[in-house]
Amino acid sequence: MTDYDLTVAYRIYPGVSKIPPVFSDNKLKLSEFCLKSFKDSLGDLKVKMIVLLDNCPPEYNKLFEKYFAPEDLHLIQLEGIGNQATFNLQIKALLDQKYSERVYFAEDDYFYLPNKFKEMIVFMDSYDDVDFVSAYDHLDYYNHPLHQHNYERRSTNTRKWRTANSTCLTFLTTKKTLRDSKKVLKTYVYGNYDSSMWLALTKFQLNPLNMRKSSEMRKIIFRAWKDSWRQIIRGKRFKLWTPLPSIATHMENNCIAPGIDWKEIMAREAIKIDPEWNESDFKLIFKSIMIYK
């Protein structure tokens, strides 16, 4: 391993799949908005960036070159291979690289708080039972029946943390854990749901009786057993931890992480990307999520 603190596999494509709270009609500006926040969050960490550009025009290459030094960048051009295939390439790239033991799966639609990323690394390095760390305190943890279960809590000097049964496809781990969990993670590549993939790893909510709670839970739990029954019965139970409050938020308008005044923070950063940006462009969802503050 070299002297890098972290290796990131960052995947990006030029389409807007959700409704983000800012730059909803301009993916290049949204991409810069998110990428700049990621760079600012990394602080003084030495990071190797492996970037999977899926059907991206040259402007996206220039975006990464603007924020990262050439020696820290490895740009990979792809021809529109899609979500599952790029996730598969993330797994391969992070296992094959020799830059660092710590690895990060990154998607292009997350907004991070400045100088906070290192807290995830410190937390993971401090405990033997931290297998995966998410930067995102997902709104579903508070209002979705899938996430209503007992969980562990832990406090550090800067933040509280809790275990979760699942997250999205942006997370921190190590090469060792990635090797150990590779078979289950790759079920997503072959059509599994991300939530089902995580349930098989964390072993929450897998009682078949829970399938009666809703049609969605029936599909999720069934798919977890169908694709990973050996892991569920005989495999290790991995622990996924999430921060309280959030270190980042998914830029999906109806799933903004609770408890933080994102509107003020995002408005300040959006103007840096586009001086003509106007706060009236915000989506109204901000008014409803602040009840969690």
Side-chain angles (χ1 to χ4, degrees), residues 187-188 190-193 222-230:
T187 63
Y188 178 79
Y190 304 119
N192 196 8
Y193 306 127
F222 173 80
R223 196 61 193 258
W225 280 99
K226 177 179 180 292
D227 287 24
S228 303
W229 64 269
R230 289 183 180 85

Side-chain angles (χ1 to χ4, degrees), residues 71-238:
E71 62 271 19
D72 298 330
L73 273 179
H74 179 198
L75 303 179
I76 301 174
Q77 303 291 153
L78 303 168
E79 297 183 358
I81 63 175
N83 186 43
Q84 294 166 322
T86 52
F87 182 68
N88 191 38
L89 285 181
Q90 281 180 303
I91 296 173
K92 177 174 172 48
L94 292 174
L95 285 176
D96 289 348
Q97 59 82 27
K98 294 180 171 57
Y99 302 113
S100 68
E101 174 62 19
R102 304 184 196 96
V103 296
Y104 192 67
F105 288 72
E107 297 166 283
D108 64 9
D109 55 351
Y110 279 73
F111 179 83
Y112 296 77
L113 295 175
N115 297 303
K116 300 300 182 184
F117 193 101
K118 194 171 186 177
E119 291 186 36
M120 293 195 292
I121 288 180
V122 171
F123 182 70
M124 188 173 68
D125 289 354
S126 298
Y127 301 96
D128 292 336
D129 64 345
V130 179
D131 300 303
F132 300 96
V133 184
S134 171
Y136 179 30
D137 181 28
H138 201 302
L139 193 62
D140 279 358
Y141 297 153
Y142 301 89
N143 57 25
H144 197 291
L146 184 69
H147 301 285
Q148 307 313 305
H149 56 76
N150 293 327
Y151 48 82
E152 297 179 50
R153 283 183 177 266
R154 190 169 291 165
S155 296
T156 62
N157 292 334
T158 55
R159 200 170 303 271
K160 293 180 180 179
W161 303 82
R162 72 174 183 182
T163 53
N165 64 27
S166 60
T167 185
C168 302
L169 296 177
T170 289
F171 57 92
L172 174 71
T173 188
T174 64
K175 283 186 69 175
K176 180 184 183 305
T177 300
L178 183 54
R179 281 192 297 269
D180 293 343
S181 59
K182 172 184 173 181
K183 187 172 182 179
V184 176
L185 291 172
K186 284 178 76 72
T187 63
Y188 178 79
V189 177
Y190 304 119
N192 196 8
Y193 306 127
D194 55 356
S195 51
S196 303
M197 174 194 83
W198 282 113
L199 289 190
L201 291 171
T202 61
K203 300 192 178 185
F204 281 103
Q205 298 285 52
L206 290 169
N207 187 332
L209 294 178
N210 289 329
M211 296 170 68
R212 299 183 299 182
K213 294 181 179 180
S214 70
S215 59
E216 183 182 17
M217 287 188 67
R218 181 164 59 251
K219 290 189 294 184
I220 291 171
I221 296 169
F222 173 80
R223 196 61 193 258
W225 280 99
K226 177 179 180 292
D227 287 24
S228 303
W229 64 269
R230 289 183 180 85
Q231 157 65 23
I232 292 171
I233 294 173
R234 296 196 292 265
K236 171 185 173 179
R237 181 176 190 174
F238 294 86

